[in-house]
């Protein structure tokens, strides 16, 4: 690049030539300009040589701030959440319990990969649904403990997509 700069100066100013010592003195200035140009053109995040290897995503878990409100015996195998006034009834394979929390808040805390809202009063866990049944004018999610959870028309297409695959 230093030789190119020397040649360009010779073209702009005919008759101007550089001795080897002058070329050596010109090198640091040319290198500095090159570094500044490289810094402006490519930001730091694009200068990474090798992309990091992605780790497989960990299985989603229920958030501790939600699970800690349940009795110890009911902190696993969650099937569904049901709204009851200002409480959420948490249905599990081992029983159910009331938690002082709105259903919307509980559903917002829980990772969407674990389940979905199927009704204004119900949230179901994907692993807790055995089948989605359609009867005339009504759809239900049949849980593994044989509980029938209503699916409203608002959530029906999402429920079919997520729960029937």
């Amino acid at each position: 690049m230093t030789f190119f700069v020397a040649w360009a100066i010779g073209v702009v100013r005919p008759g101007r030539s550089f001795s080897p010592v002058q070329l050596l003195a010109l090198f640091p200035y040319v290198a500095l300009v090159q570094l500044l140009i490289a810094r402006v053109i490519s930001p730091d995040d694009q200068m990474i040589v090798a992309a990091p290897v992605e780790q497989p995503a960990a299985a989603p878990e229920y958030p501790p701030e939600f699970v800690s409100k349940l009795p110890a015996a009911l902190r696993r195998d969650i099937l569904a959440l049901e709204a009851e006034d200002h409480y959420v009834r948490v249905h599990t394979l081992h029983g159910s319990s009331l938690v002082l929390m709105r259903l919307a808040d509980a559903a917002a805390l829980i990772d969407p990969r674990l389940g979905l809202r199927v009704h204004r009063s119900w949230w179901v866990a994907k692993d807790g649904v055995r089948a989605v049944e359609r009867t005339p004018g009504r759809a239900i999610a049949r849980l593994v403990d044989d509980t029938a959870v209503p699916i409203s028309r608002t959530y029906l297409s999402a429920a079919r997509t997520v729960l029937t695959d």
Side-chain angles (χ1 to χ4, degrees):
M1 188 56 134
T2 305
F3 292 110
F4 175 78
V5 170
W7 173 81
I9 291 174
V11 170
V12 173
R13 291 183 166 174
R16 174 79 165 118
S17 62
F18 291 90
S19 68
V21 173
Q22 289 174 322
L23 285 176
L24 284 175
L26 188 60
F27 175 77
Y29 300 104
V30 173
L32 179 64
V33 170
Q34 282 182 312
L35 288 173
L36 290 174
I37 291 171
R39 177 74 176 167
V40 169
I41 290 176
S42 62
D44 289 338
D45 57 344
Q46 292 180 353
M47 294 179 71
I48 297 172
V49 175
V53 177
E54 289 187 26
Q55 298 294 327
E61 294 181 3
Y62 291 94
E65 58 268 22
F66 174 72
V67 176
S68 65
K69 295 180 180 190
L70 294 170
L74 301 179
R75 292 184 180 176
R76 55 188 170 83
D77 302 324
I78 295 174
L79 302 176
L81 308 178
E82 179 184 10
E84 290 187 18
D85 291 327
H86 297 289
Y87 291 86
V88 171
R89 179 165 300 278
V90 180
H91 297 272
T92 72
L93 282 175
H94 314 287
S96 67
S97 178
L98 283 175
V99 173
L100 180 58
M101 177 182 274
R102 294 180 330 149
L103 179 62
D105 295 337
L109 278 175
I110 298 171
D111 190 322
R113 295 177 291 174
L114 290 171
L116 73 154
R117 191 98 178 247
V118 293
H119 189 273
R120 67 185 175 130
S121 301
W122 285 88
W123 177 94
V124 295
K126 289 180 191 176
D127 295 340
V129 177
R130 182 176 52 210
V132 174
E133 301 170 1
R134 180 82 177 168
T135 59
R138 191 176 138 136
I140 61 168
R142 183 71 62 185
L143 301 182
V144 294
D145 68 348
D146 215 31
T147 302
V149 175
I151 302 175
S152 69
R153 282 179 284 187
T154 305
Y155 299 102
L156 184 57
S157 64
R160 281 184 178 158
T161 303
V162 174
L163 299 175
T164 59
D165 51 338

